[in-house]
Amino acid sequence: MNHRIFTSESVTEGHPDKVCDQIADGVLDAILAQDPQARVACEAIVTTGMALVMGEISTECYVDIPAVARRTIRRIGYDKAELGFASSICAVLTSIDEQSPDIDMGVSASYEFKSGGDAAERIGAGDQGMMFGYACDETPELMPAPITMAHALTQQLARVRRSGELPFLRPDGKSQVTVAYDGDGNIARCEAIVVSSQHDDVDIETVRRGIREAVIHPIIPGKFIDGDTKIFINPTGRFVVGGPQGDSGLSGRKIIVDTYGGYARHGGGSFSGKDPTKVDRSAAYMARYAAKNLVAAGLCRRCEIELAYAIGVARPVSLLVDTFGTGKLDDAELAALLSRHFDFRPAKIIEALDLRRPIYTQVASYGHFGRSDLDLPWERLDKVDALRSEAKI
């Protein structure tokens, strides 16, 4: 591997797009708490003074969707009119229909089930498409270092805002980290660090000093910062107008932030607001689960898994493993190994990862993968021993 650099970004929970993801997953969680079999495809839009929640939902329960949206907005920190967007004064509009019966037909009784398949094939994929999972040995979380560091910075921005350590910070913010690698693919240093945060109308040097001392220094290991590391804090200066007042937001628009920071390929499907029959979400979680266990088992240093589905069909139409030349076995052998230890049919994914429960709002910001702060089923390493034993490595 040649010397190279790579950059990833993260955004805070107060970023307009992330506000929308949290509203969408907040609605999903509220419904799943009452009706685990519900079908939910929820989207959200926010702009100055308004939030719109829309989508296709089929459920037997009642959820006060405007109340869920307002609670979410308030929890994020938009609770004062002076922020230009506040839970108590914004309009919340809803436009909800039932799931299309044509889609429901494919999900509820898959092609294979109709053709005599077993009960595990009752649930077909909710759509066609490809999903990717990835893991590598760069960090303890088995995630790429740039996105891991970027998420850590935005989480720290939220912590020091909420704790009052930096009382002038407001909810909107973002980070970006550029990591330089040595010839062996190990982290050498940080080439550049960018942190921008919305703030009260205070002196910009106060903001920059506070973020440098309370956000960057506690999070980025000193061994990765040297005299040549470029650090930019609110590089344009003033960032008072932000959040939905400064820029409209839309759910599903931060799919690279949600996954691997661009380090791995992406099939294009977003996660938030979708129940687990949507393979955009559930199969991406399963692919991460499989890739992480392969890396943790020592069978490769890097692993990317691609799954592809046809709508209404339970079994994936393809499974590809790419270890980028780091595998202890051929990639085709590793794919066969995974097929024996992981069942990638939607019904089995939902069962294995226990996905019909309200666990989604917590991952609607700061990434769906590598979350050592959360107990997520797709981050378990319970297949490591079995994989290692069968591979005989």
Side-chain angles (χ1 to χ4, degrees):
M1 185 180 293
N2 296 324
H3 293 269
R4 65 192 183 99
I5 61 173
F6 194 87
T7 302
S8 295
E9 72 158 349
S10 176
V11 298
T12 65
E13 63 213 63
H15 185 283
D17 295 332
K18 277 290 139 199
V19 173
C20 294
D21 284 340
Q22 290 166 93
I23 291 172
D25 271 338
V27 172
L28 172 64
D29 279 351
I31 292 172
L32 290 180
Q34 300 181 61
D35 181 6
Q37 301 298 321
R39 300 286 169 73
V40 181
C42 181
E43 305 282 359
I45 296 171
V46 294
T47 188
T48 305
M50 188 191 79
L52 169 62
V53 184
M54 56 191 175
E56 293 76 44
I57 299 174
S58 296
T59 181
E60 299 298 320
C61 73
Y62 171 76
V63 167
D64 187 342
I65 291 176
V68 171
R70 292 186 191 280
R71 283 198 303 269
T72 302
I73 293 165
R74 183 169 59 252
R75 175 184 54 77
I76 291 168
Y78 291 112
D79 53 1
K80 295 186 284 292
E82 65 194 67
L83 297 176
F85 184 79
S87 59
S88 60
I89 60 173
C90 69
V92 179
L93 310 179
T94 61
S95 179
I96 304 294
D97 289 319
E98 288 189 332
Q99 183 184 59
S100 161
D102 297 341
I103 296 175
D104 177 73
M105 178 175 60
V107 175
S108 297
S110 76
Y111 171 83
E112 287 132 328
F113 184 75
K114 292 175 185 175
S115 303
D118 61 37
E121 292 173 342
R122 177 181 292 277
I123 298 177
D127 201 353
Q128 71 174 46
M130 59 279 190
M131 300 85 214
F132 290 89
Y134 183 82
C136 62
D137 63 0
E138 291 182 15
T139 65
E141 298 84 5
L142 302 185
M143 287 284 288
I147 189 65
T148 299
M149 292 183 188
H151 282 322
L153 288 171
T154 50
Q155 286 179 297
Q156 182 70 357
L157 273 176
R159 276 193 291 267
V160 298
R161 170 176 63 88
R162 292 180 180 278
S163 70
E165 183 176 354
L166 297 183
F168 48 79
L169 295 185
R170 291 181 175 181
D172 195 1
K174 55 179 60 179
S175 70
Q176 184 173 284
V177 178
T178 301
V179 171
Y181 295 85
D182 64 22
D184 295 321
N186 300 311
I187 304 165
R189 53 186 293 274
C190 287
E191 179 75 17
I193 300 167
V194 184
V195 179
S196 295
S197 180
Q198 184 187 13
H199 56 85
D200 292 342
D201 194 2
V202 299
D203 178 69
I204 187 59
E205 291 309 316
T206 299
V207 175
R208 287 173 173 160
R209 182 172 58 254
I211 290 176
R212 181 185 293 269
E213 295 175 356
V215 177
I216 295 176
H217 286 169
I219 293 300
I220 305 298
K223 64 182 179 180
F224 296 143
I225 299 178
D226 57 31
D228 293 324
T229 300
K230 298 179 285 290
I231 297 179
F232 300 98
I233 302 172
N234 282 35
T236 61
R238 183 181 173 88
F239 185 7
V240 173
V241 178
Q245 182 188 28
D247 191 10
S248 59
L250 175 64
S251 53
R253 203 158 58 178
K254 284 291 177 284
I255 58 176
I256 300 303
V257 172
D258 283 343
T259 53
Y260 307 100
Y263 212 85
R265 281 166 279 204
H266 198 296
S270 61
F271 299 154
S272 291
K274 296 179 180 179
D275 75 80
T277 65
K278 280 71 172 174
V279 285
D280 276 343
R281 179 168 223 158
S282 54
Y285 289 170
M286 195 66 165
R288 160 66 178 173
Y289 179 37
K292 185 177 182 182
N293 275 268
L294 270 186
V295 173
L299 300 181
C300 54
R301 292 191 61 190
R302 300 171 61 198
C303 181
E304 183 182 77
I305 295 173
E306 183 198 35
L307 297 168
Y309 292 85
I311 188 169
V313 178
R315 297 180 183 274
V317 299
S318 71
L319 163 63
L320 174 70
V321 173
D322 188 351
T323 61
F324 308 92
T326 69
K328 299 290 182 64
L329 300 174
D330 289 342
D331 289 347
E333 292 180 88
L334 290 175
L337 180 64
L338 288 182
S339 294
R340 293 191 290 273
H341 289 271
F342 296 85
D343 193 329
F344 295 103
R345 291 174 291 179
K348 287 298 186 179
I349 294 173
I350 292 169
E351 177 185 326
L353 301 180
D354 193 13
L355 296 179
R356 291 192 186 276
R357 55 196 176 103
I359 59 173
Y360 300 107
T361 304
Q362 61 185 344
V363 291
S365 53
Y366 310 117
H368 293 244
F369 307 122
R371 295 295 298 274
S372 57
D373 57 320
L374 301 174
D375 181 19
L376 301 174
W378 52 89
E379 294 295 317
R380 296 192 310 249
L381 294 175
D382 53 351
K383 300 284 189 177
V384 167
D385 291 341
L387 292 171
R388 189 181 290 143
S389 175
E390 184 173 341
K392 297 182 173 60
I393 298 297

